[in-house]
Amino acid sequence: MATQGDDDERSFFSEVPVRPAARAKAAIDEKPHYLGHRDRLRERFASAGPDALPDYELLELLLFRLIPRADTKPVAKALLVRFGTLAEVLGAPVGLLQEVKGIGPTVALELKVVAATAQRMARGEVHGREVLASWQQLLDYCRSAMAFEAREQFRILFLDKKNALISDEVQQTGTVDHTPVYPREVVKRALELSATAIILVHNHPSGDPTPSRADIEMTKEIIEAAKRLGISVHDHIIIGRKGYSSMKGLLLI
């Protein structure tokens, strides 16, 4: 026969709250929804390859390691809305990347490390090779290195007598729409490297690669200065986010 004390005891234990350990176990059992998505995306990348994934999903895969405990799909899409393409995301300055919600200083810096790695790989494809026979690879490298820079850069590709790349150097960095270039310095550096030919490259931060009148006149001055010393100027390439222009291809030089 139950006593009053028994009733009180049963009532007491029935009202004991769930212990913290039990709550912790329940939380572990309820995994965040994005973990399954990450596994599925990794599997699709492994089985179908990168071409099967749109830009935002490739960017998600990259962000998985940089942002381990959050849903990265909204962050990836926000980056692409802000900058346009995956290439432009990787080419964006650290300060602008951090303006996107979810991107802090560490993640922004890691994205720039990825961009630098991609540029180094592209440069490896053309260094020491006959660049005129690897023209598309050369253009791809120049675009990855310069297309999304916020300021103009004047780059020179120095070639040997077999048109193999000896050195690739940024000689000048200017403003958003102008870079000072000195033909004498261009030729001097070519002589120092024993280069017999050069390719001039610069970017237009506006995105439009159309040569300006100043670009054309400066190029002709360099051609004249180099010609006196037996150095050929194969081309002057202008890189923009919308593509590129070749002065030789446009019959401007």
Side-chain angles (χ1 to χ4, degrees):
M1 179 177 179
T3 66
Q4 181 65 39
D6 293 332
D7 292 339
D8 291 343
E9 187 175 355
R10 283 195 296 269
S11 176
F12 171 79
F13 282 109
S14 68
E15 294 174 0
V16 172
V18 179
R19 294 179 180 179
R23 286 200 299 268
K25 184 179 184 303
I28 292 173
D29 291 340
E30 295 177 6
K31 294 181 180 180
H33 71 280
Y34 57 81
L35 294 183
H37 170 67
R38 290 184 174 200
D39 291 339
R40 289 189 296 272
L41 198 53
R42 289 190 182 101
E43 289 170 4
R44 189 144 57 89
F45 178 86
S47 62
D51 290 341
L53 276 62
D55 279 2
Y56 83 88
E57 288 186 332
L58 277 177
L59 190 50
E60 272 192 85
L61 280 172
L62 176 59
L63 292 171
F64 286 172
R65 291 182 176 274
L66 307 181
I67 309 174
R69 290 179 293 276
D71 184 359
T72 58
K73 181 185 289 187
V75 182
K77 289 189 172 183
L79 285 166
L80 290 171
V81 167
R82 173 66 187 273
F83 299 108
T85 66
L86 181 56
E88 287 176 294
V89 169
L90 296 179
V94 168
L96 293 183
L97 287 170
Q98 291 183 64
E99 292 179 4
V100 175
K101 185 178 180 180
I103 301 296
T106 301
V107 175
L109 182 61
E110 290 296 328
L111 288 173
K112 299 309 297 181
V113 170
V114 173
T117 302
Q119 289 174 17
R120 191 71 58 89
M121 289 176 63
R123 184 168 65 188
E125 292 294 319
V126 297
H127 190 78
R129 298 188 181 186
E130 205 272 283
V131 298
L132 300 183
S134 308
W135 194 248
Q136 188 58 51
Q137 290 176 322
L138 176 68
L139 292 173
D140 290 343
Y141 162 61
C142 291
R143 190 164 188 271
S144 70
M146 304 176 71
F148 308 108
E149 288 291 328
R151 295 188 296 170
E152 277 199 10
Q153 289 183 350
F154 182 73
R155 182 182 296 266
I156 307 174
L157 308 179
F158 299 94
L159 313 178
D160 63 16
K161 61 184 180 181
K162 294 182 179 180
N163 286 322
L165 183 64
I166 300 172
S167 183
D168 157 33
E169 299 179 1
V170 176
Q171 191 182 62
Q172 297 287 341
T173 298
T175 64
V176 294
D177 59 2
H178 176 69
T179 304
V181 178
Y182 307 100
R184 183 169 56 184
E185 293 299 318
V186 174
V187 175
K188 177 183 176 183
R189 185 57 178 156
L191 292 172
E192 291 172 349
L193 293 171
S194 299
T196 58
I198 59 176
I199 297 174
L200 310 175
V201 189
H202 85 277
N203 63 309
H204 280 179
S206 67
D208 181 1
T210 304
S212 66
R213 181 174 297 277
D215 292 336
I216 298 168
E217 292 175 355
M218 174 266 291
T219 304
K220 290 180 177 179
E221 289 177 10
I222 293 175
I223 290 173
E224 286 300 314
K227 185 177 180 181
R228 297 189 193 105
L229 296 169
I231 299 169
S232 301
V233 178
H234 284 326
D235 205 344
H236 187 167
I237 302 168
I238 301 175
I239 302 291
R241 288 192 298 275
K242 300 177 182 178
Y244 74 93
S245 292
S246 160
M247 287 197 186
K248 186 173 183 180
L250 293 171
L251 303 178
L252 296 174
I253 59 173

